[in-house]
Amino acid sequence: MKRRALIVSTQHLVTHSQLVRDLTHLGVAPGQTLMLHVSVRAIGRIVGGPDVVLQALLDVLTPAGTLMMYVAWEDRTDDWPQWSPERQAAYRAECPPFDPVTSRANREWSILTEYLRTRPGAYRSANPGASMAAVGDKARWLTENHSLQYGYGPGSPLAKLCAAGGRVLQIGVPLNTVTLLHYSEHMAAVPHKRTVRYPVPLLRDGQRVWVEVEEFDTDRGIVDWEGGDYFAAIVRDFLAAGHGRSGMVGAAQSYLFDATALHEFAVQWMQQTLSR
């Protein structure tokens, strides 16, 4: 117990007021539409707990702004082909249908996915694998009418983020975590894109039904690339070209990107690099 107490006491302490200052210095401002990727642990020990991060962001954005996160689904099935027959059979038999109101967010992406999904006034889109949650002025518009097929393409919350002049905020997470680039994958004119098909349980007319979803491969990428993870390479090149803003939020290295500028850069990068 003494050893644990020592570790906690020396951890970087971060308050609401410091978060507000750091976010403002990075470029977060009132009225923005913002997509968040965050590691709470990387920020430090938050005085008041993880909810304080969301509150600080919403305070800076003001009610005129909007905060969105990729939340997916705790029981997402988009890697279904890799599952064992036993797991597939168990899910076919008893997995509850996806419900945008009650199905848990996938906390693999951040503990704050579930915090945001359950925050009063939050909206959540109805595509299980590509599900987004949002709070604020544009939250309902961002998340409504989310297509089940090719859910990262035109009309998706990611496309709307660009249409709204939105931004992407990364706090303490790797550069390859920018979900927006799945929209770029969809839009890039790259030959022989890899697709995946997988079933999802949905509620239709009061009955649980399994529906097949088709999507460009968001796990392995739309094509193989000799450089490996091309998401990280795109963001590094975007930063090297002088785009985006960087700074610290608490103890976490953070970046703020213009969504449209990053998307257009990524589409061009993919077409030039992945089409070879």
Side-chain angles (χ1 to χ4, degrees), residues 133-187:
V135 172
D137 183 63
K138 293 183 174 64
R140 182 173 183 175
W141 170 73
L142 282 168
T143 57
E144 66 185 358
N145 302 320
H146 192 173
S147 174
L148 188 63
Q149 307 297 335
Y150 290 95
Y152 298 93
S156 70
L158 298 178
K160 293 177 182 179
L161 177 70
C162 291
R167 290 165 174 78
V168 175
L169 174 62
Q170 289 191 289
I171 302 177
V173 294
L175 295 179
N176 66 349
T177 58
V178 180
T179 305
L180 175 67
L181 298 188
H182 291 314
Y183 174 46
S184 308
E185 286 180 310
H186 185 106
M187 301 304 294

Side-chain angles (χ1 to χ4, degrees), residues 65-78:
T66 307
L67 180 63
M68 181 171 78
M69 293 186 75
Y70 170 57
V71 299
W73 180 31
E74 200 164 55
D75 275 307
R76 58 190 302 216
T77 57
D78 50 340

Side-chain angles (χ1 to χ4, degrees), residues 49-275:
D51 251 338
V52 172
V53 178
L54 292 181
Q55 190 59 58
L57 276 161
L58 291 170
D59 287 344
V60 175
L61 291 171
T62 76
T66 307
L67 180 63
M68 181 171 78
M69 293 186 75
Y70 170 57
V71 299
W73 180 31
E74 200 164 55
D75 275 307
R76 58 190 302 216
T77 57
D78 50 340
D79 57 348
W80 179 275
Q82 283 75 56
W83 290 12
S84 67
E86 293 77 15
R87 185 180 180 187
Q88 291 181 0
Y91 269 71
R92 285 280 190 188
E94 297 195 31
C95 183
F98 173 76
D99 183 339
V101 177
T102 61
S103 293
R104 297 291 185 187
N106 193 323
R107 286 162 286 183
E108 177 183 349
W109 312 124
S110 171
I111 190 174
L112 291 186
T113 56
E114 184 68 5
Y115 280 63
L116 185 67
R117 182 193 74 82
T118 56
R119 193 174 181 89
Y123 290 87
R124 198 252 192 97
S125 69
N127 180 311
S131 188
M132 309 281 173
V135 172
D137 183 63
K138 293 183 174 64
R140 182 173 183 175
W141 170 73
L142 282 168
T143 57
E144 66 185 358
N145 302 320
H146 192 173
S147 174
L148 188 63
Q149 307 297 335
Y150 290 95
Y152 298 93
S156 70
L158 298 178
K160 293 177 182 179
L161 177 70
C162 291
R167 290 165 174 78
V168 175
L169 174 62
Q170 289 191 289
I171 302 177
V173 294
L175 295 179
N176 66 349
T177 58
V178 180
T179 305
L180 175 67
L181 298 188
H182 291 314
Y183 174 46
S184 308
E185 286 180 310
H186 185 106
M187 301 304 294
V190 174
H192 311 300
K193 291 183 188 179
R194 184 160 42 217
T195 60
V196 292
R197 294 176 181 84
Y198 57 92
V200 295
L202 301 176
L203 195 63
R204 297 276 175 87
D205 299 323
Q207 299 293 320
R208 188 190 67 152
V209 297
W210 285 85
V211 178
E212 186 172 78
V213 172
E214 184 169 291
E215 182 59 76
F216 290 119
D217 195 333
T218 61
D219 183 23
R220 297 172 297 167
I222 53 173
V223 295
D224 292 326
W225 181 54
E226 61 184 10
D229 186 344
Y230 55 82
F231 272 29
I234 289 169
V235 178
R236 283 196 300 268
D237 288 352
F238 187 71
L239 287 166
H243 304 295
R245 299 183 61 165
S246 64
M248 302 298 292
V249 174
Q253 178 63 54
S254 303
Y255 301 94
L256 185 67
F257 305 118
D258 178 274
T260 298
L262 178 55
H263 164 65
E264 291 177 349
F265 181 93
V267 168
Q268 185 177 28
W269 190 101
M270 290 177 189
Q271 291 177 168
Q272 292 176 345
T273 307
L274 302 182
S275 299

